[in-house]
Amino acid sequence: MGMLKRLVISNLAIIENIDVKFKNGFTVLTGGTGAGKSLVIDSLDLLLGARAASELIRAGEDKASITGYFECHNPRLDAAMSNLNIDCIDGEIIIERTISKTKNAIKVNGTVVTLQELNKITKHLADIHSQLDFVKILNPDNYLEIVDGFSFDSISAYKRDYSSLLDEYRAKRRIYEDLLDKKRKLDENRDYLEYQYNELKAAGLVKGEEEQIESELSLLKNYDKVYSLIREANSIMDDGFLDKFADFNNVLGKLSAIQSQYKETYDSLDEDYYRIEDTLRALRKSFKGIDYDPDRLDELQQRQSDLSTLKRKYRKSIEELIEYKNELAKMIGKDSTFDDDIVDAKNERDEAYRNLFNKGAELTQIRKRVAKSIEKEVEKNLKDLLLNVKFEIVFQPYEDNQETIVFGESGLDQIDFLIETNIGEGLKPLSKIVSGGEASRIMLAFKAIFIKANKISTVIFDEIDTGISGEASQAVANKIKEISLSSQVVAITHMPQVASLSDNHILIAKEVVNGRTFTRVKELDLEGKIHEVAHLISGGKVTEKQLDYAREMVMSKTL
């Protein structure tokens, strides 16, 4: 597992510098309004991946820093760290966040990471429960994510497969629909397409023709210069150029017979002689074929003009025009495979649909099994929290119909949470009927299951007791204590029932020194804890009677 061990905060709002050490079990934070309790939770939230704002920097300072020390004995956390090439150091993970007015920085065990990378790590470290979770539990758009979170590993694997098949289905469907669109356009424009095909066919386009035309035109346009150079070349060849080369090599041959060091050069030049002879023979033949033809010049210039006209008209290169002509032939010719292509594309789309639907249906069945388990656990937890309710997770039915099925990014499912808070009233959507106090307890019931299912090491409750009073307060306190038996729990509370059950009690207070406000943190001993619980009972001045009552509450839970 693992836990939060230490939190160091510098220059964050009214906090100048505090160093808080955390222990295992259940720790409560109490203190007056504005003392800085929420800043401690906000700091933990930042360490876990929340976005930072420069407004948090203490007045007069350039930057704020937060450092958290956690144990890392969690296989999922180890895997996430390994994927980012970050190692645990002596079983510890240290997260540092620096907030400045110009640039923020995040480090994990000394390695700089992005906010996205930090979130990949910290989702396995801790879970913060705040008022925002009440909004989440009352929004049906979040329900699928909530259900999936209770069986993260198994459902994630199916969701990855589903996502891959969804991409494949969309690609196959797009190909099929594109072919249908081309078919529609073909039917609407067949005469025009046939005209285009006949025009391009008549043009007799040849790949590489433009370069050949350009080369021949260059010859004809520069014929006088070419002719002069050819005469000069012929003159050199006729002047005994090759004979002199042969005479030279014969002398070298005689020399090599006496001095072997020249043998290799002689052999090489002998081979060169025959290569040059072949080359000169080919050149003589080539030169004889060169002639000036004014009609050929006109023909080539006209062909070049015709090709340019076609390129401008269709806005395509010659190679693209050839490809387009072949495509038109397939679409409108006697040998067209267009209809067959549509049938093949439809079959591939239908196969992709079937694979996707089957995977989505499998995902639904897993979710339904998870949902049944959640229903039982939620009802049990709510009963512990003095809410005797009926709770159901309902799935909107769907049929295997390609025309009506909706493939969502996370599957085929749309779900709702239904609850009956008063016997006989019937099940109604949770989002429409729950009061604030009930929402707090329902969210706590969900959290208890989620923490257990995902083996969350550290759980942070930010004033979960808001809107709760009477017997429900003790029930909430008992449930938080129960959670702390398997996970480290840190809670901000105003309820004496919650505070009295804690294993560790930290008091956060503020004081004004020389016109500046400072936050002070103190770990309470037993007597200090009793006095603080009495203070929570009284809400003001503490009486002896309240002290006695607080002592009884604390001692009855701690002994």
Side-chain angles (χ1 to χ4, degrees), residues 137-369:
I137 197 67
L138 297 178
N139 184 352
D141 291 341
N142 299 316
Y143 291 169
L144 207 56
E145 178 188 350
I146 290 172
V147 169
D148 289 353
F150 287 96
S151 187
F152 180 81
D153 289 337
S154 60
I155 289 182
S156 290
Y158 275 86
K159 285 170 74 172
R160 282 193 297 271
D161 291 344
Y162 172 87
S163 180
S164 176
L165 291 171
L166 178 60
D167 289 341
E168 182 179 347
Y169 169 69
R170 286 172 172 170
K172 298 293 185 183
R173 185 181 64 186
R174 187 162 50 248
I175 291 171
Y176 173 64
E177 290 174 350
D178 286 347
L179 285 173
L180 287 181
D181 187 53
K182 286 182 179 179
K183 173 70 173 175
R184 178 182 59 79
K185 290 179 180 178
L186 171 63
D187 293 339
E188 292 174 354
N189 303 286
R190 178 172 288 277
D191 291 342
Y192 177 62
L193 294 174
E194 287 180 346
Y195 163 77
Q196 286 188 319
Y197 171 73
N198 291 329
E199 180 179 44
L200 293 173
K201 183 180 179 183
L205 302 174
V206 177
K207 188 175 181 181
E209 182 182 8
E210 284 182 297
E211 292 78 6
Q212 184 179 346
I213 290 173
E214 191 63 40
S215 175
E216 196 172 347
L217 279 174
S218 177
L219 167 64
L220 293 172
K221 289 177 181 178
N222 297 280
Y223 182 77
D224 290 344
K225 188 173 183 180
V226 171
Y227 181 73
S228 176
L229 291 170
I230 287 174
R231 286 187 61 187
E232 186 177 348
N234 278 325
S235 175
I236 294 171
M237 288 188 291
D238 293 341
D239 197 28
F241 164 74
L242 194 60
D243 292 338
K244 291 179 180 179
F245 184 90
D247 291 343
F248 171 79
N249 209 37
N250 283 333
V251 173
L252 191 63
K254 293 175 182 178
L255 183 61
S256 68
I258 302 170
Q259 292 289 309
S260 60
Q261 68 191 75
Y262 299 109
K263 182 70 169 61
E264 185 177 345
T265 303
Y266 166 74
D267 292 340
S268 175
L269 288 177
D270 198 44
E271 292 178 7
D272 290 341
Y273 173 84
Y274 292 107
R275 270 199 305 271
I276 293 171
E277 187 179 40
D278 291 342
T279 301
L280 294 180
R281 189 181 299 113
L283 281 172
R284 288 180 187 277
K285 184 178 180 181
S286 170
F287 290 163
K288 287 179 181 179
I290 293 176
D291 194 13
Y292 181 73
D293 184 351
D295 292 335
R296 179 59 177 167
L297 178 61
D298 291 341
E299 179 187 336
L300 289 172
Q301 288 176 330
Q302 183 60 50
R303 179 61 172 173
Q304 190 178 55
S305 175
D306 291 343
L307 293 178
S308 296
T309 299
L310 279 174
K311 286 162 62 178
R312 285 195 303 271
K313 180 178 180 180
Y314 287 91
R315 296 181 180 179
K316 297 178 185 294
S317 67
I318 295 300
E319 288 75 13
E320 289 171 336
L321 286 171
I322 293 171
E323 186 178 340
Y324 182 52
K325 183 203 72 171
N326 294 335
E327 184 179 339
L328 288 173
K330 289 182 179 180
M331 293 171 65
I332 64 177
K334 292 180 180 179
D335 297 329
S336 170
T337 61
F338 203 75
D339 290 335
D340 291 338
D341 291 343
I342 290 176
V343 171
D344 291 342
K346 181 179 182 300
N347 290 336
E348 289 185 12
R349 181 208 62 173
D350 291 346
E351 182 181 2
Y353 164 83
R354 176 64 45 215
N355 293 336
L356 176 61
F357 179 84
N358 289 340
K359 183 58 66 174
E362 289 177 20
L363 183 54
T364 297
Q365 292 307 310
I366 292 175
R367 282 175 170 152
K368 285 183 175 180
R369 289 197 295 271

Side-chain angles (χ1 to χ4, degrees), residues 36 43 52 66 70 92 97 125 127 162 171 176 188 198 203 221 244 287 344 382 397 410 413 431-432 551:
S43 297
I66 307 159
F70 298 82
E92 187 174 63
R97 290 203 67 172
L125 269 180
D127 178 76
Y162 172 87
Y176 173 64
E188 292 174 354
N198 291 329
K221 289 177 181 178
K244 291 179 180 179
F287 290 163
D344 291 342
L382 287 175
S410 297
D413 304 308
S431 58
K432 296 181 180 178
R551 188 180 303 279

